[in-house]
Amino acid sequence: MRRLFGRPRPAVVAAAVALAAAVALSGCGISVGNRTSAAVGIKVTTAFGSTQLGAHALAHPPAAATLLGFTRRFFSVQTAARDRVIEAIDGRAAASAQQRDWFVYVNGIAATRSAAATALAAGDHVWWDLHDGQAAPSVPAVVGSYPEPFLDGSGGKSYPTVIDCGDPASAACHGVTRSLDRAGVKVSFQGLGTGSGSDSLAVLVGTFTQLRGTLAAELLQGGPRSSGVYARFVGARGQALELLDPAGQVRQTFHSSVGLVAAVEQTGLNQPVWLVTGTDPAGVAAAAAAVTPAALDNHFAVAVVPGGRILGLPLSPR
């Protein structure tokens, strides 16, 4: 049976730990109308962003624009079930037998309502991707729309950004801060494990050992079905990183100085928590250096492996 457009909630790690607490920041409430640009962008890709079919932007989107209506301005769209199911975009069809579906992200966050019922706001960035959802029926958040969602937020609302660093004095912590600042995102700092709550977005920076005990790290270790990320750390101290293919099979394992930039969902809040992490401080520094629009573009998550190579995740099965 064809899955309806709204993404299902996967079973997640049951431990309710650090990320549930609210952050104590003055003026930390949601701000509305503080959009950086009125332009709305859209791109359509296949196979987890590996092939781009088209990209467009509209400087002044019409009032009350919906995700489906905006997509139809630039691409042919075939729907079913009263527009609740996306069957094909530009002739590329979903296929139930192969568990291949169209998924959509607005500012890097998976849409939870049908395309016809999702309203767009000024500054939104839309990303459609056709991929195999067998190993991860839900990928709640992706990094390939950076600097979104930190710049323009979600649902027309901008959120403060907080950075939690395992080592606040590290080059990686400063590097992520500089990257966000260059993108026009102002950040606040808090202790690792304090939690971001429902009124801010969090970026966790540190070795995987330092991030242990946070819900984001626990989700990551649950594999793609729990986190939507096709990578997981292994070893008693997280000293190796396994990279997976779309079927959830391990394709490569790196044992030294490898970094990861990924996003998971803050459970129940439909807001992402980003992880800039690695097997050791050098791996974290490499991951931090990859937090740029060019390095993350069209990637669901990235691993930075020895030699500085950036590998988009999941890895190709070939």
Side-chain angles (χ1 to χ4, degrees), residues 21-29 162 188-190 194-197 199-200:
V23 61
L25 293 171
S26 62
C28 183
V162 295
S188 298
F189 297 90
Q190 64 182 25
T194 304
S196 64
D199 55 1
S200 59

Side-chain angles (χ1 to χ4, degrees), residues 32-253:
V32 182
N34 186 27
R35 313 296 286 180
T36 59
S37 170
V40 176
I42 185 170
K43 62 184 175 183
V44 175
T45 65
T46 64
F48 298 94
S50 62
T51 301
Q52 182 164 299
L53 304 182
H56 304 275
L58 193 62
H60 301 288
T66 66
L67 181 51
L68 180 58
F70 182 67
T71 303
R72 279 178 163 158
R73 279 180 167 264
F74 304 103
F75 302 91
S76 64
V77 183
Q78 181 180 347
T79 66
R82 298 182 180 180
D83 289 340
R84 290 182 296 164
V85 174
I86 302 299
E87 291 198 324
I89 297 179
D90 273 8
R92 272 74 171 185
S96 296
Q98 289 79 39
Q99 299 187 39
R100 188 174 70 240
D101 278 302
W102 280 104
F103 298 81
V104 65
Y105 303 86
V106 181
N107 294 345
I109 303 171
T112 58
R113 304 176 67 190
S114 74
T118 299
L120 292 182
D124 281 347
H125 292 72
V126 176
W127 180 6
W128 286 96
D129 186 72
L130 177 66
H131 64 255
D132 179 353
Q134 180 178 356
S138 170
V139 178
V142 297
V143 303
S145 295
Y146 182 78
E148 303 299 352
F150 308 106
L151 196 59
D152 289 303
S154 174
K157 300 174 182 178
S158 297
Y159 295 84
T161 297
V162 295
I163 297 182
D164 300 3
C165 293
D167 179 3
S170 68
C173 189
H174 290 298
V176 173
T177 303
R178 285 194 300 271
S179 178
L180 288 163
D181 184 68
R182 284 193 295 267
V185 179
K186 302 305 178 184
V187 303
S188 298
F189 297 90
Q190 64 182 25
L192 188 63
T194 304
S196 64
S198 62
D199 55 1
S200 59
L201 301 174
V203 183
L204 310 186
V205 183
T207 66
F208 186 73
T209 298
Q210 291 171 328
L211 301 188
R212 281 188 187 275
T214 65
L215 181 54
E218 295 297 326
L219 286 168
L220 186 65
Q221 290 308 90
R225 188 164 292 272
S226 291
S227 66
V229 179
Y230 288 80
R232 57 174 172 255
F233 288 88
V234 294
R237 301 181 307 280
Q239 65 267 36
L241 182 66
E242 293 180 339
L243 307 183
L244 314 180
D245 66 15
Q249 300 300 310
V250 177
R251 286 295 168 182
Q252 293 190 57
T253 302

